[in-house]
Amino acid sequence: MAEEKPTAYKFSFGPWNIHSGADPFGPPVREEFAFAEKLKFYKKLGFDGVQFHDDDVVLDDTPHEEMVKGARQVKKMLDDEGLVAEFIAPRLWEDPRTIDGGPTSNDPECREYAFNRARRAIDLAHILETDKIVWWPAREGTYIREAKDPIISVGHIVDFINSMLEYDKEIRILGEMKPNEPMDLSYIPTTGHFIGVAYKTADPARVGVLIESAHCILAGLDPSDEMAYALWHKKLWGVHLNDQHGLKFDEDKAFGSVNLRQAFNQVWVLEKAGYGRNGEFIGLDVKAMRTQKKERSTRHLANSRRMFLALLEVVRKVDEAEIERLRALRDYEALEVYILEHLMGIAP
Ligand code: GLO
Ligand code: MG
């Protein structure tokens, strides 16, 4: 039997991953690159895909005709750089109408705003030629438990997804779950929750997930097991690889920078499952350190990609027969050292 060719992975990031270094406690520390300048970095850094918020394409509330014109201009810019759009994510968390959430707001007018904005994101997706909408439910939760009805909220979320599925018969919805931040507690905080909800929507085959490593760690879960769970359901359509130092604010650290072994296991699970063979991207969601100077503020992207590819080499070098042998012996002590030696480059 002919051997299958190794997956040629494609990488993506969002324009927000090149940023001015502002944080909740301090102002920008480097000038923001213009969008056109950011696009120039993609190919140079080894990336082919651009992740978009809807308002990275055109500002919200732009009249329809102008919106179409603006989106076509962005499509042309992508074409000129040889790039493609991976997904559009409606940025539902910055508008005054979503202070208390979009789909789960108590105010029906605010819910309606969220529904309309998501449909508009689908229009943009058409123009940018992607069939993926990513939904990160940033404010769909509560600061205090009593603020919303938690049962009704789950129903609102299903209605929201259905409204997108009904609006467009091709579009796919990828839930990007996160247990907290900016909310104290989010509804449907994990991939497992979202997949449960997916099966209750009008077209479960078009509802899947994008998994971010840091979000899993924030939920006390292992990212590679989360990915495996979604892969089993054939619902892993995107990833946001990054890293996170324990249970605190969402750090979006460079991939592999905190826990190499955990990163290795993510690459392992993706590679073994053939992730990427249907055009899925290795997406990153990483922040540059605030201390970084402007002209060196894309290093975290190159570094994360480098770590993915280096870990991929390790994954491909590891001998599966040896792993099977040690599994059969139940000698996990030996298996552990076998993996660690490979990770450290000291395998005999
Ligand atoms: C924040 C999320 C955010 C999303 C992005 C795309 O915690 O990770 O960065 O990935 O807005 O929806
Ligand atoms: Mg993310």
Side-chain angles (χ1 to χ4, degrees):
M1 209 176 80
E3 272 221 357
E4 249 189 309
K5 274 203 192 142
T7 311
Y9 287 100
K10 291 182 304 174
F11 296 84
S12 72
F13 67 85
W16 65 91
N17 290 138
I18 302 176
H19 55 96
S20 60
D23 71 14
F25 306 97
V29 287
R30 355 169 235 271
E31 225 179 86
E32 188 80 33
F33 283 104
F35 176 65
E37 292 177 308
K38 290 184 183 180
L39 281 190
K40 296 265 177 228
F41 281 115
Y42 278 77
K43 284 281 177 187
K44 277 189 212 147
L45 296 167
F47 290 77
D48 297 299
V50 184
Q51 310 166 11
F52 282 100
H53 291 126
D54 54 354
D55 54 7
D56 294 323
V57 187
V58 275
L59 290 183
D60 184 39
D61 289 334
T62 308
H64 188 78
E65 248 175 63
E66 255 178 74
M67 178 197 97
V68 171
K69 226 172 112 192
R72 286 195 180 134
Q73 272 165 8
V74 171
K75 176 72 174 77
K76 166 96 179 40
M77 288 169 87
L78 292 181
D79 292 346
D80 289 349
E81 300 293 336
L83 300 170
V84 296
E86 183 191 5
F87 64 71
I88 310 283
R91 193 171 349 222
L92 286 171
W93 53 94
E94 285 188 0
D95 193 272
R97 288 161 284 192
T98 56
I99 281 181
D100 201 15
T104 64
S105 168
N106 287 328
D107 179 343
E109 277 180 29
C110 295
R111 292 202 297 275
E112 189 53 29
Y113 167 75
F115 280 43
N116 285 333
R117 184 149 175 183
R119 290 186 201 113
R120 227 179 70 102
I122 295 175
D123 296 341
L124 293 174
H126 269 289
I127 301 172
L128 267 61
E129 294 181 13
T130 171
D131 67 351
K132 290 182 184 143
I133 295 290
V134 166
W135 179 49
W136 168 45
R139 297 195 190 277
E140 312 317 324
T142 54
Y143 299 108
I144 59 163
R145 287 287 85 183
E146 301 81 6
K148 295 177 188 173
D149 183 317
I151 298 178
I152 289 177
S153 294
V154 178
H156 282 327
I157 286 169
V158 175
D159 293 345
F160 175 66
I161 297 165
N162 283 344
S163 85
M164 289 189 274
L165 294 171
E166 275 150 26
Y167 182 69
D168 185 295
K169 296 295 171 200
E170 304 289 320
I171 207 76
R172 293 194 283 166
I173 316 300
L174 286 63
E176 180 188 347
M177 299 304 121
K178 180 176 176 184
N180 61 285
E181 200 207 31
M183 306 312 289
D184 174 40
L185 286 162
S186 309
Y187 293 133
I188 47 167
T190 67
T191 290
H193 288 86
F194 190 73
I195 289 182
V197 159
Y199 287 120
K200 294 296 255 182
T201 63
D203 192 356
R206 289 193 284 135
V207 185
V209 293
L210 175 150
I211 294 185
E212 174 163 326
S213 325
H215 297 182
C216 304
I217 297 167
L218 284 170
L221 299 169
D222 178 76
S224 68
D225 275 355
E226 290 295 279
M227 289 172 189
Y229 179 77
L231 285 162
W232 185 85
H233 286 276
K234 305 223 174 319
K235 287 193 179 297
L236 188 65
W237 303 335
V239 290
H240 267 172
L241 298 186
N242 58 14
D243 218 337
Q244 167 75 25
H245 210 163
L247 302 178
K248 51 181 83 162
F249 64 95
D250 184 5
E251 298 180 300
D252 293 332
K253 282 174 171 289
F255 183 55
S257 64
V258 178
N259 188 335
L260 262 188
R261 187 167 175 189
Q262 212 170 46
F264 164 81
N265 280 304
Q266 291 170 67
V267 180
W268 174 283
V269 93
L270 294 171
E271 165 78 354
K272 297 296 170 191
Y275 178 90
R277 289 187 179 272
N278 295 315
E280 302 92 349
F281 278 88
I282 296 297
L284 303 179
D285 197 358
V286 287
K287 273 196 194 85
M289 293 180 217
R290 193 164 189 265
T291 38
Q292 208 66 2
K293 293 183 180 153
K294 179 178 178 180
E295 64 279 12
R296 288 162 173 266
S297 64
T298 58
R299 289 294 296 263
H300 60 307
L301 295 159
N303 292 352
S304 296
R305 180 179 176 278
R306 166 96 184 92
M307 282 308 112
F308 179 89
L309 291 172
L311 289 167
L312 181 62
E313 258 181 55
V314 180
V315 167
R316 287 177 178 171
K317 257 195 216 141
V318 162
D319 179 9
E320 289 209 45
E322 179 61 5
I323 292 184
E324 282 313 323
R325 194 182 71 80
L326 295 172
R327 280 180 180 173
L329 284 173
R330 228 205 292 132
D331 191 352
Y332 301 147
E333 298 288 358
L335 177 55
E336 178 157 80
V337 160
Y338 182 75
I339 298 294
L340 291 181
E341 283 180 348
H342 275 80
L343 272 175
M344 296 169 77
I346 56 166

